[in-house]
Amino acid sequence: MSVLLRELKDGVLTLTLNRPEAINALTTEMLRELGKAFAKEATAPEVRAVVLRGAGRGFCSGQDLREFEGQSLSYKGHLRNYRSVVEGIAALEKPVLAAIHGAAAGAGLSLALACDLRVAAADALLTTGFSKIGLIPDAGMNYYLPRLVGYARAYELAALSPRLSAEEALALGLVNRVVPVEAFEQEVARLALELAQGPTKTYGLIKRALRYSAGATLEEVLEYEALLQEVAGRTQDHKEGVQAFYEKRSPRFQGR
Ligand code: T3D
């Protein structure tokens, strides 16, 4: 059985981390598969949204702490595998949704934070976890965590590694919404389909604009968004959206 399951349905590519016996602890093989999936499969035109999730009882317990047992690990080398995944998610001009149930720990949480949206089941447990084993956050967490929750909270979460419930994570802004366990599958499928039926090119441009704004001045953002709006304004989906408004109906976006 593959360590990464892929399913494409109705424009949604679902990537499922598949080592449930270790709460989907990440191995080199899994990271390479994920890197390929975001760089290649997810870029196919028929894919209009991506869901990242875990098999079994949790999302992901972070790096497999048994993979390099007894070896002296070159972190610089090893972290390149994470980098490919995190950069792949950032570069993908399509929405990426993390569906978090059960535990999301360490680098598993890093991957969830690198996604564009996070839906948590009410049983989710989020923890940075790194400091508990004497490490600093990695796999992009130092970038995303302070941007999501601010420096002081990021420091606290990284240094003390508390175990956050889904509701606590929601209050901090780490997840977008919390869904009862019994409604989780349905809500993830519903939201993923809504994204896959949206104006895909525009979603890509939104991602570009928001990412650009993280390191830009107001003047630069105003300049850049005008440039991107030129692109959005020429999409078929923009025409369709306006036409649907005139005709008082829901738009039928094709992602073009
Ligand atoms: O050293 C490096 O490689 C550097 C890289 C670092 C990047 C990181 O991600 S650091 C953070 C690594 N992750 C953790 O420290 C989390 C470790 N796991 C936990 O804290 C807990 O397992 C959970 C909170 C995630 C879930 O707890 P619980 O009680 O629901 O499950 P469990 O019983 O602890 O785990 C179930 C099985 O999964 C168990 O296996 P066993 O004993 O039944 O054979 C456990 O050992 C295994 N497992 C859980 N996490 C990992 C793991 N195996 C390998 N690596 C793991 N990270």
Side-chain angles (χ1 to χ4, degrees):
M1 192 58 123
S2 171
V3 291
L4 182 71
L5 306 179
R6 298 141 156 107
E7 188 197 19
L8 177 60
K9 190 178 167 217
D10 298 331
V12 178
L13 175 66
T14 300
L15 300 175
T16 304
L17 306 171
N18 189 34
R19 296 189 63 233
E21 68 285 0
I23 316 185
N24 305 309
L26 297 158
T27 57
T28 304
E29 182 191 4
M30 202 185 241
L31 291 168
R32 290 195 177 141
E33 289 294 310
L34 266 179
K36 275 192 268 173
F38 280 110
K40 295 208 177 92
E41 281 119 291
T43 60
E46 59 272 27
V47 174
R48 293 177 63 190
V50 178
V51 173
L52 179 63
R53 58 175 308 151
R57 68 183 172 93
F59 177 75
C60 176
S61 60
Q63 168 63 36
D64 188 313
L65 295 175
R66 295 203 174 88
E67 184 176 18
F68 302 108
E69 205 174 339
Q71 300 174 39
S72 81
L73 176 63
S74 153
Y75 285 96
K76 258 187 155 175
H78 173 57
L79 288 177
R80 273 195 213 113
N81 296 317
Y82 281 101
R83 185 171 176 163
S84 302
V85 180
V86 172
E87 288 185 337
I89 296 171
L92 187 68
E93 299 211 327
K94 297 170 188 181
V96 183
L97 169 67
I100 306 171
H101 72 295
L109 180 59
S110 302
L111 296 190
L113 299 187
C115 294
D116 301 306
L117 291 162
R118 281 158 293 285
V119 174
D123 70 349
L125 177 160
L126 283 71
T127 182
T128 62
F130 295 88
S131 67
K132 294 282 183 202
I133 55 168
L135 290 178
I136 69 159
D138 61 23
M141 191 183 281
N142 293 302
Y143 181 86
Y144 288 109
L145 190 61
R147 282 171 170 77
L148 284 165
V149 303
Y151 174 86
R153 286 192 170 122
Y155 187 88
E156 184 180 355
L157 296 179
L160 302 179
S161 294
R163 289 183 169 202
L164 302 175
S165 67
E167 287 298 337
E168 288 169 327
L170 180 66
L172 283 170
L174 278 178
V175 299
N176 294 79
R177 57 185 81 168
V178 175
V179 185
V181 171
E182 56 283 6
F184 181 64
E185 296 297 334
Q186 208 184 345
E187 175 58 11
V188 169
R190 191 205 61 74
L191 182 56
L193 191 62
E194 182 182 337
L195 292 167
Q197 291 177 345
T200 312
K201 281 228 171 351
T202 303
Y203 287 160
L205 296 169
I206 290 171
K207 189 160 170 174
R208 267 208 229 181
L210 293 177
R211 294 187 61 80
Y212 177 83
S213 80
T217 63
L218 173 63
E219 290 71 24
E220 287 166 339
V221 169
L222 291 168
E223 192 78 23
Y224 193 54
E225 67 189 18
L227 197 78
L228 296 184
Q229 199 67 295
E230 286 289 346
V231 182
R234 283 162 212 247
T235 59
Q236 284 181 25
D237 284 341
H238 169 59
K239 287 190 190 74
E240 163 62 9
V242 175
Q243 194 60 36
F245 172 79
Y246 294 150
E247 295 170 11
K248 298 187 187 297
R249 60 171 174 82
S250 300
R252 290 181 290 270
F253 293 125
Q254 302 297 319
R256 291 194 287 264

